[in-house]
Amino acid sequence: MTLKCEELLAFALRIAEQAATMMQQARETKAFSADYKADHELVTSTDLAIDRYLCGEISAAYPSHCILSEESSPNLLLGEAPTWVIDPIDGTVNYAHQHRHVAVSIALYVDGQRFLGVVHAPFLEECYWAVKGQGAYLNGARLKLTDTVSLRNALVATGFPYQKNALEPLIKRVSNVLHQCQDIRRNGSAALDLCWLAAGRLQAYYESVKPWDMAAGALIACEAGAVLGRYDDVTSDWPLEINGDALLVCVPSLYEPMQQVLALD
Ligand code: IPD
Ligand code: CA
Ligand code: CA
């Protein structure tokens, strides 16, 4: 399939910027409400408004493409058509609590592979993007990881699920990381964790997340030179390229050491 890469990237950057503006405006005017969609899982009216905006723009511009969206189509199966994978707000809890670590995440998969990714964080004034094989960028500057790092000076990010029924292994892994690495961060946006890894501010990231949390950030991290693998078994049915189970993304030299740190014996 011939896809116009520059046109697609320009489109994704444009709708991400508008989504970012919507986030800012709703926060400035306090024009949003928050609700729970599951036990502990928050959703705000801004998540839903941005979802409607993004889906409308994508359907109008690319009617033959599919959309896998956290808020409106989370069960879509990846088929043959190019598929947009969107998280209208990654970092909803941060957003609701006036924190700055919040982003819109937009990815495009083609033939089941990551093709482009945009992560725009309005309160940090950072827009990350990558196209497969063409590198990763932050506000127009190319990102390239340096890999002179040991476990001892690795800053490691992770996150915790909304469901609180299986915390024991998580806590064991956090304990291992605290004992063997420099420190740990729980910043509240998986998409930004992956981008901050790409920017060299973190050296490893691990967590089990959903496809929309990781789709764009995974491409951005890999295009900056990170490796992507697993620290445990994949248990959900998503195809691997889009599967966020037991994700371990880090600078190449830390991949095996981090697998050992995260192994539970
Ligand atoms: C969440 C964030 C968080 C991660 C959670 C995600 P949301 O996404 O990415 O960092 O730890 O697993 O669900 O709910 O803010 O879109
Ligand atoms: Ca998310
Ligand atoms: Ca979200």
Side-chain angles (χ1 to χ4, degrees), residues 149-253:
V149 70
S150 63
L151 277 181
R152 259 292 145 232
N153 53 27
L155 190 55
V156 178
T158 190
F160 308 114
Y162 292 113
Q163 299 72 26
K164 311 296 180 195
N165 53 356
L167 291 184
E168 208 178 308
L170 263 80
I171 289 165
K172 175 79 176 94
R173 289 195 171 98
V174 167
S175 166
N176 290 356
V177 171
L178 287 173
H179 278 102
Q180 296 179 63
C181 304
Q182 185 172 62
D183 205 345
I184 200 160
R185 292 289 180 270
R186 197 288 189 249
N187 289 326
S189 162
L192 279 174
D193 285 337
L194 289 158
C195 291
W196 277 36
L197 177 59
R201 300 170 188 169
L202 299 164
Q203 285 67 52
Y205 162 72
Y206 73 95
E207 188 177 359
S208 271
V209 290
K210 294 285 176 30
W212 42 84
D213 300 312
M214 54 73 88
L219 180 64
I220 292 164
C222 290
E223 284 293 321
V227 291
L228 182 152
R230 312 282 161 177
Y231 60 86
D232 203 352
D233 296 336
V234 167
T235 53
S236 66
D237 292 336
W238 296 101
L240 266 190
E241 274 281 308
I242 207 167
N243 195 311
D245 287 1
L247 207 56
L248 170 59
V249 187
C250 57
V251 298
S253 65

Side-chain angles (χ1 to χ4, degrees), residues 20-42:
T21 302
M22 290 170 75
M23 268 184 238
Q24 280 173 309
Q25 284 176 347
R27 183 178 269 184
E28 274 161 22
T29 57
K30 298 193 173 45
F32 70 88
S33 55
D35 206 347
Y36 284 97
K37 58 178 168 182
D39 281 357
H40 293 272
E41 190 163 359
L42 208 58

Side-chain angles (χ1 to χ4, degrees), residues 37 41-42 47 70-71 87-92 103 162 212-213:
K37 58 178 168 182
E41 190 163 359
L42 208 58
D47 294 67
E70 178 184 9
E71 303 302 346
D87 191 342
I89 299 185
D90 189 54
T92 294
Y162 292 113
W212 42 84
D213 300 312

